[in-house]
Amino acid sequence: MTTTYTSYQRIAKDLPTSLERVAQKPDVVRETEYYLAKIGDVKSVDDFMADTRLYDYALKAHGLEDMSYAKAFIRKVLTEGVSDDEAFANKLTDTRYADLATALNFAAYDTAATSFDRAQQGVVDKYMRQTLEEDAGADNNGVRLALYFERMAPAVTSTMDILADGALAQVVRTAFQLPMEVAASDIDKQAAYLEKLFDVEDFKDPEKLGTFLERFTALWELENPSDNYDPLAVFGSSTGHGISADLLISINSLKLGGS
């Protein structure tokens, strides 16, 4: 029997090869070729929003595939950019929106925004990693969670960052066998409690991170028999964050419906 840990290790130990397998999938090849051929011709937010294939590709690359319907919301993110601390994306807890606005920085660079590598190959690289994690989750969501945590945790600066991300929080709760009641407690108390359990700086150490993920995958295996879990329970359709209540309020306030 292949365990969650061995499945995760098989992918993670040779990540370039794992990503190359993803890159060779016919549908990935097709959409990537289209993206690279067309993105350089995009000169404005309007151009970008008008091409559904480019739009969907870039959103999936940033883990925002389930937000593709919220076009007015995404338009506001891209229009305001990230240069101003008060820009819409910078005021959102979820950093994926700021990452998107950084990759496609029309606010700062106008018609030249898509000429930069971060808007072209940078987005492609993110798309490959996102697809790899999604494919892993189709077989075992614990593997997807481990790969996601491995990618995101080194950039975490506080336990509050972990609590703001549903998938990161799920990994931590599993690794320390915390009851779901903990997730319902006061957020500041949760953060303080997690600080007593671990130091987020340890996640910057590959060896310590590896040991932590070995613990997580072992406990995930115990709690989630391979044929008895919902792959979308934490991630939603495509993301580790889900859609929070405050985000839904922000979306609704934009009176969606336009493109």
Side-chain angles (χ1 to χ4, degrees):
M1 176 180 175
T2 302
T3 67
T4 301
Y5 181 69
T6 55
S7 294
Y8 158 70
Q9 278 287 85
R10 186 172 62 246
I11 295 171
K13 71 179 181 181
D14 190 358
L15 198 56
T17 298
S18 298
L19 290 168
E20 183 58 30
R21 283 197 294 270
V22 169
Q24 292 175 359
K25 293 174 61 177
D27 58 329
V28 173
V29 170
R30 182 173 60 252
E31 294 308 309
T32 299
E33 287 180 346
Y34 182 87
Y35 182 84
L36 289 174
K38 300 292 186 178
I39 191 62
D41 296 330
V42 169
K43 302 301 180 184
S44 68
V45 174
D46 285 341
D47 289 349
F48 174 69
M49 303 288 289
D51 190 319
T52 300
R53 288 177 71 179
L54 292 180
Y55 175 80
D56 288 346
Y57 190 98
L59 261 63
K60 178 175 178 176
H62 289 84
L64 295 169
E65 188 174 14
D66 60 336
M67 292 297 294
S68 61
Y69 74 94
K71 290 193 172 182
F73 186 91
I74 298 300
R75 181 185 293 278
K76 186 172 177 62
V77 166
L78 294 174
T79 300
E80 295 192 14
V82 290
S83 298
D84 189 334
D85 289 342
E86 294 300 309
F88 186 51
N90 290 333
K91 294 165 75 172
L92 296 170
T93 303
D94 189 336
T95 60
R96 293 173 300 163
Y97 298 99
D99 289 344
L100 176 65
T102 299
L104 299 170
N105 201 341
F106 294 103
Y109 299 107
D110 197 23
T111 58
T114 61
S115 65
F116 297 99
D117 183 70
R118 61 174 171 267
Q120 298 188 21
Q121 190 60 45
V123 171
V124 169
D125 291 344
K126 289 177 183 292
Y127 185 92
M128 298 305 168
R129 179 62 189 244
Q130 184 69 25
T131 303
L132 172 66
E133 292 174 13
E134 289 182 19
D135 288 353
D139 295 324
N140 185 326
N141 205 39
V143 178
R144 182 180 181 182
L145 283 164
L147 289 168
Y148 180 79
F149 196 93
E150 178 189 51
R151 173 165 62 92
M152 301 296 291
V156 165
T157 59
S158 70
T159 54
M160 196 66 78
D161 289 346
I162 289 175
L163 294 173
D165 185 312
L168 297 182
Q170 179 65 56
V171 172
V172 167
R173 283 197 296 268
T174 301
F176 291 100
Q177 296 183 289
L178 302 178
M180 287 304 296
E181 289 77 10
V182 171
S185 64
D186 177 81
I187 192 72
D188 292 324
K189 290 181 179 178
Q190 288 185 60
Y193 183 66
L194 293 184
E195 287 173 4
K196 296 177 182 179
L197 297 178
F198 60 88
D199 184 348
V200 295
E201 290 300 309
D202 287 347
F203 297 141
K204 294 179 172 60
D205 182 323
E207 185 174 345
K208 291 180 179 179
L209 178 59
T211 299
F212 175 82
L213 289 175
E214 184 172 5
R215 171 180 176 147
F216 159 72
T217 51
L219 289 167
W220 175 269
E221 191 77 28
L222 289 175
E223 295 179 9
N224 301 272
S226 59
D227 59 351
N228 188 32
Y229 65 86
D230 178 2
L232 303 182
V234 175
F235 286 92
S237 62
S238 68
T239 168
H241 299 62
I243 304 177
S244 65
D246 61 331
L247 183 53
L248 285 173
I249 291 171
S250 295
I251 294 170
N252 290 334
S253 71
L254 292 173
K255 302 185 184 300
L256 302 184
S259 59

